């Protein structure tokens, strides 16, 4: 038998769980690195603050600021209603009890840990960069919006996960970008929120992986036959990662005078860099979580979930 005709090796339970544990460690390390640079160093705080002031300058005289702020005010409630509807549908219509419970725990865990990290665990040192020394890392609004979409991702059928991941993380990206442009949060606050939600999503996937036993993940199609949403999500993730890396490099390379002396022109450059970091991180994170579930996720068992395949 030729090597090309050999069946693919079956993953053992230990090897199939290793990517999940590795992802948890990676996301925690990225969160710590983001906090250490953007919150604990003077240069990081400067870049963050310049992007925030760029957003405030951009919409200082814009008549859409009021409606946009109203949208942000109602966004958590709208996200909760949307996620709750999907969870309830899976619970009642499909008689699926495990995944709605895990999805609810994901939503509450991500939202609760964000508030705990921001108000209890983490501190923002006063490095004479910003007049607001109160810690805002991570963003609660962004975390709730992203966590609601992640909860929906958990309960929908496997075949529907690619478009849900694409639309859900695009929604989270817009939500995070809005908090930056409207002057609510700095870029690092938003990036940290995405990492928190991704961490809880991976933890949820790992729990389901343990609950459903061993076996390869649900993906059975070849890479070349992926759906259009999967290919689009991957393309946006690659473009976003490149844009985020370029934006960070530009922000590091630019001059960093006293924050009060920066004119609107440079502030808008830092705003653009901050938006690239936010949008790029959102799509790259969304693709990472989707790929983990697609490659190593728990197979759906009919005795646990009816009509989900």
């Amino acid at each position: 038998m030729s090597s090309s005709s050999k069946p693919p090796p079956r993953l053992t339970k230990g090897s199939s769980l290793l990517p999940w544990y590795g992802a948890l460690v990676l996301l925690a390390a990225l969160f710590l690195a983001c906090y250490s640079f953007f919150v604990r160093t003077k240069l990081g705080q400067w870049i963050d603050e310049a992007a925030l002031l760029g957003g405030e300058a951009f919409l200082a005289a814009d008549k859409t600021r009021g409606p946009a702020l109203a949208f942000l005010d109602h966004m958590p409630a709208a996200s909760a209603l949307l996620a709750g509807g999907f969870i309830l549908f899976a619970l009642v219509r499909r008689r699926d009890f495990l995944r709605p419970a895990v999805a609810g725990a994901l939503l509450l865990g991500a939202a609760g840990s964000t508030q705990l990290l921001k108000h209890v665990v983490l501190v923002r040192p006063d490095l004479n960069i910003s007049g607001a020394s109160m810690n805002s890392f991570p963003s609660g609004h962004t975390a709730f919006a992203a966590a609601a979409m992640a909860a929906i991702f958990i309960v929908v059928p496997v075949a529907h996960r690619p478009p849900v991941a694409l639309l859900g993380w695009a929604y989270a990206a817009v939500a995070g970008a809005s908090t930056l442009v409207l002057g609510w949060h700095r870029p690092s606050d938003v990036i940290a929120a995405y990492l928190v939600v991704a961490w809880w999503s991976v933890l949820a996937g790992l729990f389901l992986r343990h609950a459903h036993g061993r076996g390869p993940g649900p993906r059975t199609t070849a890479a070349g036959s992926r759906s259009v949403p999967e290919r689009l999500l991957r393309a946006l993730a690659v473009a976003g990662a490149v844009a985020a890396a370029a934006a960070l490099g530009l922000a590091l390379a630019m001059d960093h005078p006293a924050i009060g002396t920066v004119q609107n022109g440079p502030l808008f450059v830092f705003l653009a860099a901050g938006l690239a970091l936010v949008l790029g991180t959102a799509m790259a994170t969304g693709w990472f979580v989707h790929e983990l579930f697609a490659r190593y996720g728990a197979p759906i068992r009919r005795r646990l979930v009816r009509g989900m395949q």
Side-chain angles (χ1 to χ4, degrees):
M1 181 182 295
S2 64
S3 60
S4 60
S5 61
K6 291 181 180 179
R10 182 177 177 84
L11 294 174
T12 64
K13 183 177 181 180
S15 63
S16 61
L17 293 179
L18 188 59
W20 295 98
Y21 289 112
L24 289 175
V25 173
L26 174 63
L27 291 168
L30 290 174
F31 180 91
L32 181 60
C34 184
Y35 172 73
S36 298
F37 175 69
F38 284 105
V39 180
R40 304 291 299 182
T41 71
K42 199 164 188 175
L43 177 59
Q45 280 198 15
W46 198 102
I47 294 173
D48 246 5
E49 191 68 18
L52 180 68
L53 293 178
E56 293 176 351
F58 181 71
L59 286 181
D62 198 306
K63 294 181 180 180
T64 63
R65 184 177 180 87
L69 288 172
F71 163 75
L72 282 182
D73 280 334
H74 293 92
M75 184 179 63
S79 301
L81 286 175
L82 187 61
F86 275 88
I87 291 174
L88 185 62
F89 181 82
L91 184 65
V92 176
R93 178 72 175 179
R94 296 195 176 99
R95 298 181 183 179
D96 177 14
F97 300 98
L98 178 60
R99 289 176 182 269
V102 172
L106 187 163
L107 180 57
L108 294 177
S113 61
T114 297
Q115 298 303 320
L116 183 66
L117 287 167
K118 178 163 57 176
H119 297 298
V120 178
V121 178
L122 304 178
V123 295
R124 181 180 182 86
D126 187 1
L127 302 179
N128 200 28
I129 298 295
S130 171
S133 59
M134 183 179 65
N135 182 52
S136 58
F137 180 103
S139 165
H141 274 71
T142 304
F144 199 92
M149 300 302 105
I152 295 173
F153 177 83
I154 291 291
V155 299
V156 297
V158 171
H160 297 165
R161 280 181 177 171
V164 168
L166 175 63
L167 295 176
W169 281 96
Y171 172 79
V174 172
S178 299
T179 63
L180 169 60
V181 173
L182 293 172
W184 277 27
H185 279 285
R186 305 172 180 91
S188 67
D189 301 341
V190 179
I191 294 171
Y194 295 144
L195 294 174
V196 169
V197 173
W199 192 90
W200 279 95
S201 299
V202 172
L203 186 64
L206 178 60
F207 178 85
L208 291 172
R209 193 68 185 79
H210 276 290
H212 285 273
R214 69 177 63 196
R219 171 171 289 162
T220 57
T221 57
S225 59
R226 293 183 180 182
S227 64
V228 173
E230 281 183 299
R231 295 198 297 269
L232 183 56
L233 179 60
R234 181 175 59 180
L236 290 174
V238 172
V242 172
L248 182 58
L250 175 64
L252 292 172
M254 289 187 66
D255 293 331
H256 305 95
I259 194 71
T261 65
V262 182
Q263 300 302 313
N264 285 348
L267 285 180
F268 292 157
V269 174
F270 280 100
L271 171 62
L275 287 174
L277 283 168
V278 166
L279 298 175
T281 302
M283 302 316 299
T285 304
W287 173 82
F288 176 79
V289 172
H290 173 268
E291 282 295 295
L292 194 63
F293 273 81
R295 292 179 180 273
Y296 306 103
I300 305 263
R301 292 181 178 177
R302 292 186 182 276
R303 68 181 179 87
L304 292 176
V305 184
R306 299 182 180 179
M308 290 285 284
Q309 296 194 28

